[in-house]
Amino acid sequence: MASAPAQQPTLTVEQTRVVLSEVIQAFALPENAARMEEAKESASNDMGKMLQLVLPVATQIQQEVIKAYGFNNEGEGVLKFARLVKMYENQDPEIAAMSAKLKALLLPPLSTPPIGGSVAASS
């Protein structure tokens, strides 16, 4: 017999703003910023290495904050929080802006190759 799924925490828009703000602040703490920088340097813009090295550190930092709001202290809690933020992004511009800021902290800047693969010389 399967066990009942754990109750997902429900946060209001206002509560989600607060938690998201705290998560962003947690990434700015010197010890967490150093952990993220070290992981990013080790990954050196290799997306596979980013997933192996940066994502676990980022998940731990987020877990430390969101567990106080009823999310479980495993990767599943971070995913549930991310889904909640995504749901509110369309309703609240402040949440959308904070979500974009958080994504920028987690992901390296993407460089796109020129269309056509070569740069045309101007004369």
Side-chain angles (χ1 to χ4, degrees), residues 95-118:
I95 288 177
M98 284 192 285
S99 178
K101 184 174 183 175
L102 180 59
K103 286 175 190 166
L105 291 170
L106 303 179
L107 299 172
L110 298 176
S111 58
T112 56
I115 296 175
S118 63

Side-chain angles (χ1 to χ4, degrees), residues 2-106:
S3 62
Q7 182 68 28
Q8 180 173 337
T10 54
L11 302 176
T12 65
V13 171
E14 293 78 18
Q15 290 169 321
T16 302
R17 276 190 216 123
V18 169
V19 179
L20 198 49
S21 176
E22 288 180 17
V23 167
I24 291 168
Q25 289 172 17
F27 278 94
L29 293 174
E31 64 271 17
N32 290 338
R35 289 169 58 200
M36 285 294 291
E37 189 60 35
E38 182 180 330
K40 285 180 180 180
E41 284 177 11
S42 296
S44 65
N45 283 344
D46 178 316
M47 193 50 78
K49 288 183 179 178
M50 291 291 286
L51 293 172
Q52 291 176 327
L53 303 172
V54 178
L55 189 60
V57 173
T59 299
Q60 289 173 350
I61 293 168
Q62 290 181 73
Q63 285 171 339
E64 291 166 10
V65 175
I66 67 173
K67 69 183 179 185
Y69 294 91
F71 292 90
N72 74 24
N73 200 24
E74 297 174 14
E76 182 184 335
V78 172
L79 291 175
K80 286 181 179 181
F81 179 66
R83 278 189 226 116
L84 187 67
V85 169
K86 187 78 174 156
M87 182 180 78
Y88 285 138
E89 278 179 355
N90 296 329
Q91 301 171 27
D92 188 84
E94 192 176 341
I95 288 177
M98 284 192 285
S99 178
K101 184 174 183 175
L102 180 59
K103 286 175 190 166
L105 291 170
L106 303 179

